Amino acid sequence: MNVQKQIDEYITSQAEPKRSDMQELHRVILRVKPGCKLWFLDGKDDKGKTVSNPNIGYGFYTIKYADGKTREFYQIGLSANTTGISVYILGIDDKTYLAKTYGKTLGKASVTGYCIKFKNLKDINIDILEEAIRYGFEVSK
């Protein structure tokens, strides 16, 4: 199954209003970075055991580990969770940057080192989230 079909099935499997919110976020991210590489991770490890929520990835960058190894991964992630939606912005060295820069103006969202979590899209300022996503694509090239 191709990645776009997996993404579509994942989004449509969500209950409303999460489904509509995720469809809108998917559109926003693709508007910010049209033609970016798409990823779909089903949340299962090599043995088929569930280890995380499924997530959609956008963009591409190379993670560099301390031991010198590298791994290809996405820049922006989108995932449904039990309480709402998480947007992951990877590749930011300063783990306080998101909270300091966007935390106060985002609305009703929890902001950690690389994750912005919220219940509904209506609870946050989508323009500020889009600005954070745009930053994520720029910083993790």
Side-chain angles (χ1 to χ4, degrees):
M1 184 183 312
N2 75 31
V3 173
Q4 185 60 59
K5 187 164 176 51
Q6 289 175 302
I7 291 169
D8 292 342
E9 286 184 4
Y10 174 58
I11 292 173
T12 58
S13 74
Q14 304 301 315
E16 287 296 350
K18 198 179 293 186
R19 177 186 315 135
S20 294
D21 286 353
M22 289 189 72
Q23 285 172 329
E24 178 58 20
L25 284 167
H26 183 64
R27 282 192 290 271
V28 166
I29 296 167
L30 291 176
R31 187 174 65 234
V32 169
K33 187 84 166 175
C36 66
K37 178 176 178 165
L38 293 176
W39 305 64
F40 183 76
L41 286 77
D42 64 6
K44 294 182 170 45
D45 66 10
D46 295 339
K47 297 178 181 112
K49 181 180 177 208
T50 300
V51 294
S52 71
N53 291 324
N55 54 89
I56 303 166
Y58 305 85
F60 173 89
Y61 88 112
T62 303
I63 298 173
K64 294 173 183 71
Y65 294 103
D67 65 2
K69 293 182 182 174
T70 61
R71 175 180 170 200
E72 297 175 349
F73 210 61
Y74 55 75
Q75 296 165 288
I76 306 295
L78 175 62
S79 180
N81 58 58
T82 54
T83 59
I85 298 171
S86 295
V87 175
Y88 303 98
I89 301 177
L90 305 177
I92 300 172
D93 290 333
D94 179 355
K95 299 302 173 208
T96 65
Y97 182 83
L98 285 180
K100 285 190 307 193
T101 308
Y102 306 106
K104 288 184 172 58
T105 54
L106 251 172
K108 289 170 52 177
S110 161
V111 184
T112 62
Y114 63 90
C115 180
I116 298 170
K117 190 187 310 187
F118 49 92
K119 185 171 172 70
N120 296 299
L121 208 47
K122 66 178 175 54
D123 294 336
I124 64 163
N125 183 328
I126 188 70
D127 293 334
I128 300 298
L129 180 61
E130 185 174 333
E131 189 179 310
I133 290 166
R134 193 175 309 283
Y135 174 79
F137 279 124
E138 290 301 313
V139 76
S140 62
K141 287 182 178 178

